[in-house]
Amino acid sequence: MTGERDCGILLGMADSAISGAVTAQSALDAVQRYPREAIAIGRQVLIAGRPDADERSTAERAVGLALRELNDLPGALRHLRRAVRVADSPRVRALARMSLGYVLANAGRTGPALRAVTLALPRLTGADAGRARMQRGVVLHYRGRFDEAVRDYGIAVEIAQREGDLLLEARARNNRGLLNAHRGTSRDADDDLVRSAAIFSQLGLDLAAADARWNMGIAAGQRGDVAGALRSFATVDDEYRRLSVPRPALLLDRFELLLSVPLIDEAVEVATSAVRELRRRGMASDLAEALLARARAALLAGDLATAAEAAASARVRFRRQGRRTWAAFARHVELRADVARGTRSAGLLTAMVRTAEQLDATGWPSPALTTRIEAARLAEALGRPARAAGLLAVAARAHRRGTAPHRAQGWYALALHRRLDGDLRGAARALRRGLAVLDGHRASLGATELRAHSGAYGHELAAEGLDIAVRTGTPAQVLSWAERWRANALRMRAVQPPPDPELATALAELRMVSAALEDALLAGHPVHALRRSQGRLEQRIRELARGADGGTRGADGDALATPPTARALAAALGDAVLLELVAHGPRLRAVLVRDGRTSLHDLGPLDEALARARLHRFGLRRLVTTGDSASARAGVEFATAALDQQLFDPVRRLLGDRPLVIVPIGALHAVPWSGLPTCAGRPVTVAPSATVWLRATGRAVPAGPPVLVAGPRLPAAETEVRQLRAALPGSRALTGDGATADAVTDALNGTGLAHIAAHGAFRADNPLFSTLELADGPLTAYELERLTRPPGCVVLSACDSGLSGVRPGDEVMGFTAVLLALGARSLIATVLPVPADLTTALMLDLHRRMRAGTAPAMALADAQRAFATADGGGAAHATAAAFVCFGAG
């Protein structure tokens, strides 16, 4: 927000021949563009000669406003109070009061701020009165009196136009545009902000122009244009760095955008940084908002203790500052944390309803809607269905307008209302409408990472639909609802944007820094500076990739698909069986599709399955990394038997010995499936969703020759590629210095088969930064998104290369997700570390079988069985089990 910064066109540095009055005004004029120089000029006036009272007041005011630009609020307040005390003329004193009011508002003291500005108003005329009106609008804005603030901003614009004061017009338009953006009137906001930025640029006020463009990013985010907002923020952030002006409060704007996706982990990090930085600088008003941000992020992350504590602290601060609207928002977060902790009481219900009404009355419809829906669910739990129905009826009106997540919540409320009335079909229709709204929103996000994270918004709707289907006992509907929001991002392939030289440069720099970091670690040299550089580059790459132009389309160029029918699946399955796992409350269920028929099965407690899967992975990993031993083998056998029994005993009769397509829930994507007795020796294909599998089966394999790649620091990789080249005539090998990231990505385009033997690293914090080490540094999953003609089948004989990060909606992120989303038909990769010496023999057998025409899943199963049987050791068994066939098989 641009406040009262009374700085005209820069007059230049003053010298000793210029009078004191002009020098004091020069300091004031320099505040917006050169705050540090403004401080130096103002102090020179104060210590040189004997300035009169009004000159001294003007100099003190310039120093105070410049310190505000540099976020030193205590220092700013000291100088502005002096400016009020020493002023002689009523006009100069009123101007000082006006500036003091702005900084008091920034410090969270909105009551004294409003009094100061109101006292100044009667003493001012013309453009000065316009500035005071705009400044009072700022204070009213802080206090949540939005209608009054917009009115004062409008009066300021009218006065500015009448007086020909471009600077005042730009400031008032900027503030009005920002407020209208938050209130949802985006067209008015855009007009004001564009005009404001243009005027500031015309006047040569680069910092103010950057502030207005930052606010344009906020407006873009408010109307749902996440990619546009990210582009704006990244561009303007560079401008702030160039100007060397800190803007810690702008972390809160970035937080709002991250939460809108939602990128929860990053939002937590940004909110925490904002609290620390704003507390250090004494910016009380923004600090209260940062504490609220931390509470909101913690609530979404499931950290309920932090959410409640931070929200309570923010609420107390808001009340002290007279910001009742913000206090109601903080109370909303406190109450939601109470509900999430299992509190059920009439008092809590009353507080939630009251808070929702307060939020509605003060112009914050989205938190009001969330609170009202949760209050309705609480009322139902307390045995008050009529109260719940009334709340849901009000909440359901939201489906008609607002952002996509807001409208989807309205459809969710309508579904709950209909279900409460016993209209299950009507409830299902409303849920489908809500998910359709979110599908459109997701398609607009463009970047794979943003689409994957946006799955959080549909979770409640899909879970409600799934619950209805399970309780009515219709397997086909359970499958449909499980598919409706599962791995939805992989159905959409990002439209290829124009080549971005800046992104390509950043990726190349990251490779160089990462390679230098690896060398330094091996040599025992200090790595702190390299780690900082790596972190900065990764952040820059995320911003550039997220802000790429271009929406999304269906993975094969068509519209977003509805879930496949059992008949469509049957035609593609043939004699294979599809087993789709579904989390339903505390139970793990499965929908089985066989010969066109669907059946629903209860596989037992979800927690037990997850615990057994972890033990199974741990045991196999131990065999590979610590060596074969009787105790290790016994541990694996016990965990394997328990997991296999839970997952497959209820469906064993229907499986027979048929090929198997498994669609796991997110937490089970890392299971080494062929290590389970039921899967060993049979073709097993793992897919993120039945929809993704069905589409992959229809893709043609490109005709390009095989590509074989060997990464550095892995002698077995060179041997592996050399032997594979002999077994695959006509193949193209990239080894040594020739196996660079650019060469590999170019070679992957249009090849029917690609094999990459390299060191791999999975990044759980950001799976798209998972890497394959090549000659010039690591190749990230981000870079594979540049492929325009994806390979047909990819084999990654690198450790953990098949692991994926899992986001809400069972969205997977990593090499698997990127390649399948791009259009690869199948991928064979590892979900465990693998020893190089054992892997080569397995890979040679796999490729010989595929060369003979055997499909990838069958070829892998046969090679795994032959390999484990021939060697007979536990390490060989674990190595074979580590490989999984993803995609179509």
Side-chain angles (χ1 to χ4, degrees):
M1 183 190 304
T2 300
E4 197 287 326
R5 303 181 179 106
D6 196 9
C7 49
I9 300 171
L10 185 67
L11 298 177
M13 293 293 292
D15 59 29
S16 57
I18 298 178
S19 69
V22 175
T23 306
Q25 184 61 44
S26 298
L28 199 59
D29 292 342
V31 165
Q32 184 66 59
R33 283 193 285 189
Y34 305 109
R36 289 182 174 82
E37 291 183 18
I39 293 170
I41 297 170
R43 286 175 174 165
Q44 181 182 348
V45 172
L46 293 171
I47 63 175
R50 293 177 177 273
D52 64 31
D54 284 350
E55 292 164 2
R56 183 175 183 83
S57 176
T58 301
E60 292 280 11
R61 183 171 164 231
V63 173
L65 289 172
L67 288 170
R68 161 63 189 86
E69 286 297 313
L70 299 174
N71 298 302
D72 180 359
L73 295 190
L77 288 171
R78 282 197 305 273
H79 284 277
L80 290 170
R81 287 190 177 107
R82 281 191 209 127
V84 173
R85 284 198 305 270
V86 303
D88 182 37
S89 71
R91 174 182 177 270
V92 173
R93 183 176 293 109
L95 290 173
R97 279 198 175 113
M98 186 171 62
S99 298
L100 176 62
Y102 171 61
V103 179
L104 283 168
N106 274 248
R109 301 180 60 189
T110 58
L114 188 57
R115 287 193 294 274
V117 180
T118 302
L119 277 173
L121 260 174
R123 301 288 186 177
L124 300 171
T125 60
D128 287 342
R131 295 185 187 98
R133 280 284 184 179
M134 191 211 59
Q135 185 52 50
R136 192 168 72 167
V138 171
V139 180
L140 292 167
H141 193 154
Y142 273 118
R143 288 180 71 84
R145 293 160 61 175
F146 299 140
D147 290 337
E148 295 171 75
V150 167
R151 185 165 55 250
D152 272 354
Y153 290 149
I155 293 172
V157 170
E158 292 171 5
I159 294 174
Q161 291 175 331
R162 184 170 64 245
E163 299 289 331
D165 190 329
L166 286 176
L167 184 58
L168 173 59
E169 180 184 351
R171 291 175 180 155
R173 283 187 180 277
N174 177 79
N175 292 355
R176 186 171 67 179
L178 179 61
L179 181 49
N180 281 330
H182 284 299
R183 283 153 57 97
T185 53
S186 59
R187 177 173 296 181
D188 292 341
D190 287 345
D191 290 345
D192 272 337
L193 293 170
V194 169
R195 177 65 179 148
S196 173
I199 294 174
F200 282 134
S201 295
Q202 176 185 338
L203 297 176
L205 299 174
D206 294 343
L207 179 58
D211 286 343
R213 286 194 295 272
W214 183 278
N215 290 340
M216 289 164 67
I218 295 172
Q222 288 292 319
R223 64 175 178 266
D225 181 8
V226 176
L230 287 166
R231 284 195 301 275
S232 293
F233 286 167
T235 301
V236 180
D237 196 47
D238 287 343
E239 185 71 4
Y240 287 139
R241 293 178 190 277
R242 184 184 69 80
L243 295 169
S244 300
V245 176
R247 282 287 188 265
L250 300 186
L251 288 169
L252 298 175
D253 298 328
R254 191 183 297 278
F255 166 83
E256 292 292 344
L257 194 62
L258 292 170
L259 210 62
S260 75
V261 175
L263 293 160
I264 296 172
D265 292 343
E266 285 185 59
V268 170
E269 181 180 340
V270 168
T272 302
S273 297
V275 168
R276 182 172 57 249
E277 185 67 13
L278 294 169
R279 178 174 279 136
R280 185 177 70 83
R281 294 180 180 273
M283 299 174 70
S285 179
D286 291 320
L287 174 59
E289 294 178 34
L291 286 166
L292 176 56
R294 184 160 71 178
R296 293 164 63 198
L299 181 64
L300 287 176
D303 183 358
L304 303 181
T306 298
E309 180 184 352
S313 178
R315 180 165 58 88
V316 169
R317 288 173 179 271
F318 287 135
R319 286 191 176 279
R320 287 175 183 165
Q321 296 167 14
R323 302 168 70 185
R324 292 187 178 87
T325 302
W326 287 88
F329 197 170
R331 182 61 172 154
H332 144 86
V333 178
E334 277 187 278
L335 296 173
R336 291 187 65 198
D338 278 347
V339 171
R341 285 189 289 193
T343 304
R344 300 289 182 269
S345 70
L348 178 58
L349 175 60
T350 300
M352 294 182 77
V353 173
R354 182 172 58 247
T355 300
E357 291 169 351
Q358 290 172 345
L359 290 167
D360 260 339
T362 51
W364 264 345
S366 289
L369 174 60
T370 302
T371 301
R372 193 166 278 118
I373 291 174
E374 293 193 0
R377 304 210 72 159
L378 176 58
E380 186 180 3
L382 292 172
R384 301 172 66 177
R387 184 63 163 148
L391 290 165
L392 291 171
V394 175
R397 298 171 191 161
H399 77 271
R400 299 188 182 97
R401 58 181 300 176
T403 64
H406 186 79
R407 296 198 313 277
Q409 268 202 305
W411 284 110
Y412 177 58
L414 182 58
L416 294 178
H417 189 274
R418 288 175 175 173
R419 188 173 184 182
L420 198 61
D421 286 343
D423 181 9
L424 297 184
R425 288 190 177 184
R429 283 196 302 273
L431 293 168
R432 284 193 290 268
R433 291 290 298 274
L435 288 172
V437 168
L438 291 174
D439 266 340
H441 169 66
R442 174 175 285 192
S444 72
L445 293 177
T448 299
E449 181 188 12
L450 298 184
R451 287 185 278 119
H453 281 275
S454 69
Y457 282 127
H459 177 73
E460 285 183 324
L461 288 89
E464 192 71 21
L466 180 68
D467 186 64
I468 291 172
V470 169
R471 292 182 187 282
T472 55
T474 51
Q477 286 300 310
V478 173
L479 176 64
S480 177
W481 278 106
E483 282 293 301
R484 198 167 290 276
W485 203 245
R486 170 171 273 168
N488 215 344
L490 297 190
R491 305 180 194 180
M492 313 173 200
R493 179 178 172 185
V495 175
Q496 289 291 332
D500 184 345
E502 191 175 358
L503 177 58
T505 299
L507 288 165
E509 289 180 8
L510 178 62
R511 270 196 301 279
M512 289 190 293
V513 168
S514 298
L517 176 61
E518 184 71 21
D519 291 342
L521 285 169
L522 292 173
H525 295 157
V527 296
H528 297 298
L530 288 169
R531 287 199 187 279
R532 285 196 299 272
S533 296
Q534 184 185 48
R536 283 195 298 268
L537 283 167
E538 288 183 357
Q539 178 61 30
R540 184 62 176 154
I541 289 166
R542 281 196 295 265
E543 290 174 348
L544 290 169
R546 291 169 181 174
D549 287 315
T552 58
R553 52 183 167 86
D556 296 308
D558 54 352
L560 301 180
T562 56
T565 63
R567 179 177 298 179
L569 287 171
L573 284 167
D575 66 344
V577 176
L578 183 140
L579 190 69
E580 178 144 348
L581 305 183
V582 178
H584 177 236
R587 308 295 291 181
L588 180 65
R589 303 185 189 276
V591 180
L592 186 141
V593 182
R594 178 180 184 266
D595 298 334
R597 296 180 179 178
T598 59
S599 53
L600 180 62
H601 307 270
D602 187 346
L603 304 186
L606 175 61
D607 287 347
E608 288 186 12
L610 299 182
R612 288 165 176 169
R614 286 193 292 270
L615 288 173
H616 176 58
R617 271 185 56 80
F618 173 78
L620 290 174
R621 188 183 185 98
R622 183 183 173 195
L623 281 176
V624 171
T625 57
T626 63
D628 200 353
S629 68
S631 62
R633 284 198 303 273
V636 169
E637 289 169 3
F638 175 79
T640 297
L643 181 61
D644 189 83
Q645 181 180 12
Q646 180 174 358
L647 295 181
F648 296 114
D649 272 5
V651 297
R652 196 172 303 282
R653 180 182 59 82
L654 294 171
L655 293 182
D657 58 358
R658 297 186 179 204
L660 182 58
V661 177
I662 298 177
V663 179
I665 61 171
L668 297 180
H669 267 283
V671 168
W673 293 96
S674 66
L676 299 176
T678 300
C679 298
R682 85 165 78 210
V684 175
T685 303
V686 176
S689 76
T691 308
V692 171
W693 175 83
L694 184 61
R695 287 190 164 181
T697 61
R699 292 177 184 140
V701 176
V707 173
L708 310 173
V709 179
R713 298 192 306 107
L714 192 61
E718 298 269 0
T719 303
E720 188 169 299
V721 166
R722 186 170 60 252
Q723 294 181 20
L724 285 174
R725 192 173 189 184
L728 301 173
S731 58
R732 176 186 177 188
L734 295 172
T735 61
D737 292 341
T740 63
D742 285 342
V744 169
T745 51
D746 287 345
L748 289 177
N749 267 316
T751 182
L753 173 66
H755 179 99
I756 302 177
H759 283 297
F762 174 70
R763 283 277 298 274
D765 61 321
N766 191 327
L768 292 181
F769 280 116
S770 298
T771 58
L772 297 171
E773 187 176 345
L774 298 177
D776 57 342
L779 173 75
T780 66
Y782 271 115
E783 294 179 87
L784 293 181
E785 293 193 318
R786 294 186 293 167
L787 293 174
T788 56
R789 292 174 296 129
C793 177
V794 180
V795 179
L796 299 176
S797 61
C799 297
D800 295 332
S801 55
L803 289 179
S804 294
V806 181
R807 300 297 180 256
D810 282 349
E811 297 291 0
V812 291
M813 293 173 61
F815 285 113
T816 304
V818 169
L819 287 166
L820 291 178
L822 287 172
R825 196 176 189 278
S826 57
L827 170 74
I828 294 175
T830 63
V831 293
L832 291 169
V834 287
D837 53 340
L838 292 175
T839 299
T840 297
L842 177 64
M843 292 296 95
L844 283 169
D845 191 16
L846 168 69
H847 281 287
R848 289 193 188 102
R849 295 175 190 273
M850 288 198 293
R851 176 77 175 176
T854 305
M858 176 62 82
L860 178 61
D862 290 344
Q864 286 170 323
R865 178 172 50 196
F867 183 72
T869 303
D871 185 279
H877 167 73
T879 300
F883 284 86
V884 177
C885 182
F886 299 94

